[in-house]
Amino acid sequence: MKLRTLLTAFLQLAIYLATGAQSLPDRKYPSHALLSDLEMVRAAVVTLHPGFGRFGPREEVLHALDSVRNVIASSDSTSFISFFRMVNPVLTKIRCGHTKFFPPMKGFPFYFFTDNLIPIIVRFDNSGQTLVIRSQHPEAVGKYVKRINGQPIDSVLHALRAQLFVDAHVQTSADAQIQQYFSAWYADFIQSGREQFTIVLADEQGEETTVGMAGISTDAWHELNRNASYLISYNHLSFPSDTVAKLRIATFYPQQGDKYFRRFLDSAFVQIGSRKVQRLVIDVRGNEGGNDGLGKHLYAHIARNDFRYYDRIEVKVKRKRDVPNRGNVYLPRFIGLARWFIRKDAQGRLLFRKHQNLGMHRPHRQAYTGNVTFLLDGLSYSVTSEFLAVARNENRGMFIGEESGGAYQGDNSGTFAIYKLPATGLDLGIPLAGYYMAVRPESGISRGIIPDITLSPSREGLLSGRDPADALLAK
């Protein structure tokens, strides 16, 4: 199962089941205890992470860990929040969006200052500026954020991007996450206390005003954020015209189960086949993933020829006994059986050979073979980006929107080893499988699926809640 939000919920459950007192942000820990936690992090990443060195040099991560160790060792103690803020950006250097680092607190990703969050919802418009689309302060709506508590917004965004987990070199993924939970990330990684916020805003002409804002609670922030997206949040088929079908795939993790998804998809393509559809629009914006088998199932419904999906699945260890610090890690029960399907290839790689997406696949008997347009964005991640990668490799249609959140070449996910760091109680989630897509190699640094037509929302569209794709698809 490959879904960021599912892993989040799973890790939060692990937090509640785990022993150990919860730590307040300002609680101090002796350096020797933090150094022990840091060494556990290092051992887990080096030994288990299948993507360590995949999208960036291993030395970058190791040198950063050494720097954190030196800072901690230079002081008698360090606060919990300082330790978290130092280690988290080191782990993001692995360039794996499925790697997770959680404080032992409920309410992902609202960890710190949860009673004093910035009372705004922001989006990036097509000018690249940070637009306030909702706020408890009406005078802020429609204005651009310029400074927060004296810090320029560009500096704020730079700091946040360094703290967010993304695949490869995909900045759209970080930016999408920032827009999802800006106030939470600001509290987690920048905010220093519970003081009032002083925010400098600018209108379209650049005229600046300063607004003082008292913080709000997590519940109030969620209420402010309710229905802030113009995207449909469930899987749905519609026919905007007699010749156009629009298939909204909001998730590959349906609450009703995989069989329900397959029945929905089969029914949808029966309806598409019964009409004179000349263009199929598949909208996977905001879809962060789910069951990887469903991504392949969807592609089979639009495949024109036999196709490959996964090239290989790599792992780092074969047996439970090879996992470091076994007393501090949770592993799924079935992990012991997986070793029977792991073999070493001629290049010395450990490959997991039992997966429905490996090998050659045939198009579905009701496959649609006409024109396809794909709508994608920075939250088109994990299973979704795998589906898009195969579609791109097979030259299956036109891609409109933003660079996908997941990497074109694949990701690291599957099942997870979840460490509970003994001193701080922090949870570290390490994906155990490296998924490599059966696609042509790319030149340069690894990126997501790049759209043929870039589509970004305008200021007016964001404020009115209009989908920027509607006007384009109406042509």
Side-chain angles (χ1 to χ4, degrees), residues 212-242:
M213 299 184 183
I216 60 175
S217 68
T218 299
D219 288 343
W221 188 91
H222 279 299
E223 184 61 31
L224 192 64
N225 191 52
R226 189 184 301 277
N227 300 321
S229 174
Y230 46 73
L231 295 174
I232 297 176
S233 61
Y234 54 90
N235 296 335
H236 177 69
L237 173 67
S238 61
F239 295 92
S241 72
D242 292 340

mmCIF file of all heavy atoms in Angstrom, residues 212-242:
data_model
loop_
_atom_site.group_PDB
_atom_site.id
_atom_site.type_symbol
_atom_site.label_atom_id
_atom_site.label_comp_id
_atom_site.label_asym_id
_atom_site.label_seq_id
_atom_site.Cartn_x
_atom_site.Cartn_y
_atom_site.Cartn_z
ATOM 1 N N GLY A 212 -2.174 42.781 12.030
ATOM 2 C CA GLY A 212 -1.878 41.961 13.196
ATOM 3 C C GLY A 212 -2.937 40.884 13.331
ATOM 4 O O GLY A 212 -4.139 41.161 13.251
ATOM 5 N N MET A 213 -2.501 39.638 13.528
ATOM 6 C CA MET A 213 -3.436 38.521 13.605
ATOM 7 C C MET A 213 -3.145 37.669 14.834
ATOM 8 O O MET A 213 -2.000 37.248 15.051
ATOM 9 C CB MET A 213 -3.330 37.627 12.357
ATOM 10 C CG MET A 213 -3.660 38.313 11.052
ATOM 11 S SD MET A 213 -3.609 37.121 9.671
ATOM 12 C CE MET A 213 -3.948 38.195 8.275
ATOM 13 N N ALA A 214 -4.177 37.402 15.614
ATOM 14 C CA ALA A 214 -4.052 36.454 16.719
ATOM 15 C C ALA A 214 -4.156 35.044 16.160
ATOM 16 O O ALA A 214 -4.867 34.796 15.181
ATOM 17 C CB ALA A 214 -5.147 36.702 17.752
ATOM 18 N N GLY A 215 -3.422 34.111 16.773
ATOM 19 C CA GLY A 215 -3.436 32.735 16.305
ATOM 20 C C GLY A 215 -4.754 32.038 16.576
ATOM 21 O O GLY A 215 -5.545 32.458 17.423
ATOM 22 N N ILE A 216 -4.994 30.954 15.842
ATOM 23 C CA ILE A 216 -6.212 30.161 16.018
ATOM 24 C C ILE A 216 -5.847 28.711 16.314
ATOM 25 O O ILE A 216 -4.698 28.284 16.124
ATOM 26 C CB ILE A 216 -7.114 30.225 14.766
ATOM 27 C CG1 ILE A 216 -6.368 29.684 13.528
ATOM 28 C CG2 ILE A 216 -7.610 31.640 14.538
ATOM 29 C CD1 ILE A 216 -7.237 29.605 12.274
ATOM 30 N N SER A 217 -6.826 27.924 16.748
ATOM 31 C CA SER A 217 -6.606 26.522 17.067
ATOM 32 C C SER A 217 -6.606 25.669 15.801
ATOM 33 O O SER A 217 -7.029 26.113 14.726
ATOM 34 C CB SER A 217 -7.706 26.020 18.003
ATOM 35 O OG SER A 217 -8.953 25.975 17.306
ATOM 36 N N THR A 218 -6.161 24.431 15.956
ATOM 37 C CA THR A 218 -6.178 23.494 14.827
ATOM 38 C C THR A 218 -7.589 23.296 14.294
ATOM 39 O O THR A 218 -7.813 23.287 13.087
ATOM 40 C CB THR A 218 -5.585 22.143 15.263
ATOM 41 O OG1 THR A 218 -4.234 22.327 15.685
ATOM 42 C CG2 THR A 218 -5.607 21.143 14.120
ATOM 43 N N ASP A 219 -8.558 23.134 15.193
ATOM 44 C CA ASP A 219 -9.945 22.937 14.756
ATOM 45 C C ASP A 219 -10.445 24.145 13.965
ATOM 46 O O ASP A 219 -11.125 23.989 12.944
ATOM 47 C CB ASP A 219 -10.853 22.695 15.966
ATOM 48 C CG ASP A 219 -10.629 21.329 16.594
ATOM 49 O OD1 ASP A 219 -10.031 20.464 15.927
ATOM 50 O OD2 ASP A 219 -11.042 21.138 17.754
ATOM 51 N N ALA A 220 -10.106 25.341 14.430
ATOM 52 C CA ALA A 220 -10.529 26.550 13.722
ATOM 53 C C ALA A 220 -9.860 26.634 12.357
ATOM 54 O O ALA A 220 -10.484 27.081 11.375
ATOM 55 C CB ALA A 220 -10.215 27.787 14.558
ATOM 56 N N TRP A 221 -8.603 26.211 12.271
ATOM 57 C CA TRP A 221 -7.907 26.229 10.981
ATOM 58 C C TRP A 221 -8.571 25.254 10.005
ATOM 59 O O TRP A 221 -8.791 25.587 8.833
ATOM 60 C CB TRP A 221 -6.436 25.875 11.148
ATOM 61 C CG TRP A 221 -5.648 26.059 9.882
ATOM 62 C CD1 TRP A 221 -4.984 27.176 9.483
ATOM 63 C CD2 TRP A 221 -5.493 25.098 8.821
ATOM 64 N NE1 TRP A 221 -4.408 26.965 8.243
ATOM 65 C CE2 TRP A 221 -4.708 25.705 7.819
ATOM 66 C CE3 TRP A 221 -5.923 23.791 8.632
ATOM 67 C CZ2 TRP A 221 -4.355 25.051 6.644
ATOM 68 C CZ3 TRP A 221 -5.588 23.140 7.448
ATOM 69 C CH2 TRP A 221 -4.807 23.767 6.470
ATOM 70 N N HIS A 222 -8.905 24.059 10.493
ATOM 71 C CA HIS A 222 -9.565 23.086 9.619
ATOM 72 C C HIS A 222 -10.914 23.618 9.130
ATOM 73 O O HIS A 222 -11.292 23.391 7.967
ATOM 74 C CB HIS A 222 -9.764 21.760 10.359
ATOM 75 C CG HIS A 222 -8.537 20.905 10.388
ATOM 76 N ND1 HIS A 222 -7.931 20.427 9.248
ATOM 77 C CD2 HIS A 222 -7.801 20.433 11.426
ATOM 78 C CE1 HIS A 222 -6.877 19.704 9.567
ATOM 79 N NE2 HIS A 222 -6.771 19.697 10.882
ATOM 80 N N GLU A 223 -11.630 24.308 9.984
ATOM 81 C CA GLU A 223 -12.912 24.885 9.582
ATOM 82 C C GLU A 223 -12.692 25.959 8.521
ATOM 83 O O GLU A 223 -13.453 26.047 7.547
ATOM 84 C CB GLU A 223 -13.621 25.481 10.801
ATOM 85 C CG GLU A 223 -15.000 26.027 10.509
ATOM 86 C CD GLU A 223 -15.957 24.969 10.001
ATOM 87 O OE1 GLU A 223 -15.821 23.784 10.392
ATOM 88 O OE2 GLU A 223 -16.841 25.314 9.179
ATOM 89 N N LEU A 224 -11.645 26.752 8.684
ATOM 90 C CA LEU A 224 -11.315 27.779 7.700
ATOM 91 C C LEU A 224 -10.958 27.152 6.352
ATOM 92 O O LEU A 224 -11.253 27.702 5.288
ATOM 93 C CB LEU A 224 -10.150 28.621 8.230
ATOM 94 C CG LEU A 224 -9.802 29.924 7.508
ATOM 95 C CD1 LEU A 224 -10.964 30.920 7.616
ATOM 96 C CD2 LEU A 224 -8.520 30.519 8.106
ATOM 97 N N ASN A 225 -10.360 25.979 6.404
ATOM 98 C CA ASN A 225 -9.872 25.300 5.207
ATOM 99 C C ASN A 225 -10.935 24.429 4.536
ATOM 100 O O ASN A 225 -10.702 23.884 3.456
ATOM 101 C CB ASN A 225 -8.660 24.437 5.566
ATOM 102 C CG ASN A 225 -7.929 23.898 4.355
ATOM 103 O OD1 ASN A 225 -7.561 24.642 3.456
ATOM 104 N ND2 ASN A 225 -7.733 22.591 4.317
ATOM 105 N N ARG A 226 -12.085 24.287 5.169
ATOM 106 C CA ARG A 226 -13.118 23.387 4.658
ATOM 107 C C ARG A 226 -13.550 23.789 3.240
ATOM 108 O O ARG A 226 -13.838 24.954 2.971
ATOM 109 C CB ARG A 226 -14.320 23.402 5.590
ATOM 110 C CG ARG A 226 -15.361 22.320 5.256
ATOM 111 C CD ARG A 226 -16.568 22.462 6.179
ATOM 112 N NE ARG A 226 -16.181 22.342 7.570
ATOM 113 C CZ ARG A 226 -16.011 21.191 8.225
ATOM 114 N NH1 ARG A 226 -16.189 20.057 7.569
ATOM 115 N NH2 ARG A 226 -15.674 21.183 9.498
ATOM 116 N N ASN A 227 -13.568 22.784 2.352
ATOM 117 C CA ASN A 227 -14.008 22.991 0.957
ATOM 118 C C ASN A 227 -13.199 24.070 0.233
ATOM 119 O O ASN A 227 -13.744 24.789 -0.629
ATOM 120 C CB ASN A 227 -15.493 23.351 0.917
ATOM 121 C CG ASN A 227 -16.371 22.259 1.508
ATOM 122 O OD1 ASN A 227 -16.127 21.071 1.306
ATOM 123 N ND2 ASN A 227 -17.391 22.650 2.253
ATOM 124 N N ALA A 228 -11.916 24.174 0.554
ATOM 125 C CA ALA A 228 -11.075 25.187 -0.091
ATOM 126 C C ALA A 228 -10.591 24.751 -1.467
ATOM 127 O O ALA A 228 -10.068 25.563 -2.228
ATOM 128 C CB ALA A 228 -9.874 25.508 0.792
ATOM 129 N N SER A 229 -10.757 23.467 -1.811
ATOM 130 C CA SER A 229 -10.296 22.964 -3.107
ATOM 131 C C SER A 229 -11.455 22.894 -4.096
ATOM 132 O O SER A 229 -12.588 22.574 -3.734
ATOM 133 C CB SER A 229 -9.671 21.576 -2.951
ATOM 134 O OG SER A 229 -9.337 21.024 -4.215
ATOM 135 N N TYR A 230 -11.174 23.181 -5.360
ATOM 136 C CA TYR A 230 -12.183 23.068 -6.402
ATOM 137 C C TYR A 230 -12.245 21.654 -6.972
ATOM 138 O O TYR A 230 -13.069 21.348 -7.842
ATOM 139 C CB TYR A 230 -11.936 24.061 -7.537
ATOM 140 C CG TYR A 230 -10.506 24.122 -8.030
ATOM 141 C CD1 TYR A 230 -9.955 23.102 -8.786
ATOM 142 C CD2 TYR A 230 -9.705 25.219 -7.730
ATOM 143 C CE1 TYR A 230 -8.660 23.160 -9.236
ATOM 144 C CE2 TYR A 230 -8.395 25.296 -8.175
ATOM 145 C CZ TYR A 230 -7.881 24.262 -8.923
ATOM 146 O OH TYR A 230 -6.584 24.327 -9.365
ATOM 147 N N LEU A 231 -11.387 20.741 -6.498
ATOM 148 C CA LEU A 231 -11.352 19.386 -7.019
ATOM 149 C C LEU A 231 -12.399 18.503 -6.345
ATOM 150 O O LEU A 231 -12.606 18.586 -5.130
ATOM 151 C CB LEU A 231 -9.967 18.770 -6.807
ATOM 152 C CG LEU A 231 -8.813 19.428 -7.559
ATOM 153 C CD1 LEU A 231 -7.491 18.801 -7.149
ATOM 154 C CD2 LEU A 231 -9.012 19.311 -9.071
ATOM 155 N N ILE A 232 -13.046 17.640 -7.111
ATOM 156 C CA ILE A 232 -13.961 16.642 -6.559
ATOM 157 C C ILE A 232 -13.150 15.627 -5.771
ATOM 158 O O ILE A 232 -12.121 15.140 -6.237
ATOM 159 C CB ILE A 232 -14.751 15.948 -7.681
ATOM 160 C CG1 ILE A 232 -15.633 16.963 -8.413
ATOM 161 C CG2 ILE A 232 -15.600 14.814 -7.130
ATOM 162 C CD1 ILE A 232 -16.368 16.379 -9.603
ATOM 163 N N SER A 233 -13.594 15.294 -4.570
ATOM 164 C CA SER A 233 -12.805 14.461 -3.667
ATOM 165 C C SER A 233 -13.109 12.972 -3.771
ATOM 166 O O SER A 233 -12.638 12.187 -2.959
ATOM 167 C CB SER A 233 -13.019 14.921 -2.225
ATOM 168 O OG SER A 233 -14.393 14.784 -1.864
ATOM 169 N N TYR A 234 -13.899 12.568 -4.765
ATOM 170 C CA TYR A 234 -14.247 11.153 -4.914
ATOM 171 C C TYR A 234 -14.142 10.769 -6.392
ATOM 172 O O TYR A 234 -14.178 11.619 -7.280
ATOM 173 C CB TYR A 234 -15.656 10.876 -4.387
ATOM 174 C CG TYR A 234 -16.735 11.757 -4.997
ATOM 175 C CD1 TYR A 234 -17.417 11.375 -6.154
ATOM 176 C CD2 TYR A 234 -17.050 12.984 -4.421
ATOM 177 C CE1 TYR A 234 -18.385 12.188 -6.720
ATOM 178 C CE2 TYR A 234 -18.019 13.808 -4.982
ATOM 179 C CZ TYR A 234 -18.687 13.410 -6.130
ATOM 180 O OH TYR A 234 -19.639 14.222 -6.692
ATOM 181 N N ASN A 235 -14.023 9.479 -6.666
ATOM 182 C CA ASN A 235 -13.915 8.996 -8.029
ATOM 183 C C ASN A 235 -15.261 9.161 -8.735
ATOM 184 O O ASN A 235 -16.319 8.812 -8.180
ATOM 185 C CB ASN A 235 -13.478 7.533 -8.043
ATOM 186 C CG ASN A 235 -12.089 7.347 -7.454
ATOM 187 O OD1 ASN A 235 -11.282 8.284 -7.456
ATOM 188 N ND2 ASN A 235 -11.793 6.157 -6.961
ATOM 189 N N HIS A 236 -15.214 9.675 -9.968
ATOM 190 C CA HIS A 236 -16.472 10.071 -10.604
ATOM 191 C C HIS A 236 -16.290 10.130 -12.122
ATOM 192 O O HIS A 236 -15.246 10.544 -12.628
ATOM 193 C CB HIS A 236 -16.888 11.455 -10.082
ATOM 194 C CG HIS A 236 -18.114 12.009 -10.711
ATOM 195 N ND1 HIS A 236 -19.378 11.490 -10.503
ATOM 196 C CD2 HIS A 236 -18.286 13.071 -11.557
ATOM 197 C CE1 HIS A 236 -20.262 12.195 -11.181
ATOM 198 N NE2 HIS A 236 -19.642 13.155 -11.828
ATOM 199 N N LEU A 237 -17.317 9.703 -12.852
ATOM 200 C CA LEU A 237 -17.333 9.810 -14.311
ATOM 201 C C LEU A 237 -18.412 10.800 -14.727
ATOM 202 O O LEU A 237 -19.539 10.765 -14.231
ATOM 203 C CB LEU A 237 -17.636 8.449 -14.948
ATOM 204 C CG LEU A 237 -17.847 8.454 -16.468
ATOM 205 C CD1 LEU A 237 -16.552 8.812 -17.201
ATOM 206 C CD2 LEU A 237 -18.386 7.103 -16.947
ATOM 207 N N SER A 238 -18.063 11.709 -15.634
ATOM 208 C CA SER A 238 -19.043 12.653 -16.163
ATOM 209 C C SER A 238 -18.802 12.825 -17.662
ATOM 210 O O SER A 238 -17.754 12.435 -18.198
ATOM 211 C CB SER A 238 -18.940 14.005 -15.454
ATOM 212 O OG SER A 238 -17.654 14.581 -15.655
ATOM 213 N N PHE A 239 -19.792 13.424 -18.331
ATOM 214 C CA PHE A 239 -19.703 13.666 -19.776
ATOM 215 C C PHE A 239 -19.992 15.144 -20.026
ATOM 216 O O PHE A 239 -21.158 15.542 -20.188
ATOM 217 C CB PHE A 239 -20.682 12.775 -20.530
ATOM 218 C CG PHE A 239 -20.365 11.309 -20.418
ATOM 219 C CD1 PHE A 239 -20.935 10.531 -19.415
ATOM 220 C CD2 PHE A 239 -19.481 10.706 -21.296
ATOM 221 C CE1 PHE A 239 -20.638 9.185 -19.293
ATOM 222 C CE2 PHE A 239 -19.173 9.354 -21.186
ATOM 223 C CZ PHE A 239 -19.751 8.587 -20.181
ATOM 224 N N PRO A 240 -18.954 15.988 -20.027
ATOM 225 C CA PRO A 240 -19.149 17.430 -20.261
ATOM 226 C C PRO A 240 -19.805 17.730 -21.601
ATOM 227 O O PRO A 240 -20.444 18.762 -21.756
ATOM 228 C CB PRO A 240 -17.721 17.990 -20.202
ATOM 229 C CG PRO A 240 -16.942 16.972 -19.430
ATOM 230 C CD PRO A 240 -17.556 15.660 -19.769
ATOM 231 N N SER A 241 -19.631 16.838 -22.572
ATOM 232 C CA SER A 241 -20.281 16.995 -23.877
ATOM 233 C C SER A 241 -20.489 15.611 -24.476
ATOM 234 O O SER A 241 -20.085 14.599 -23.909
ATOM 235 C CB SER A 241 -19.422 17.860 -24.807
ATOM 236 O OG SER A 241 -18.268 17.140 -25.225
ATOM 237 N N ASP A 242 -21.125 15.567 -25.635
ATOM 238 C CA ASP A 242 -21.401 14.269 -26.276
ATOM 239 C C ASP A 242 -20.133 13.540 -26.681
ATOM 240 O O ASP A 242 -20.134 12.308 -26.803
ATOM 241 C CB ASP A 242 -22.279 14.480 -27.518
ATOM 242 C CG ASP A 242 -23.673 14.940 -27.165
ATOM 243 O OD1 ASP A 242 -24.087 14.731 -26.007
ATOM 244 O OD2 ASP A 242 -24.333 15.526 -28.038
#
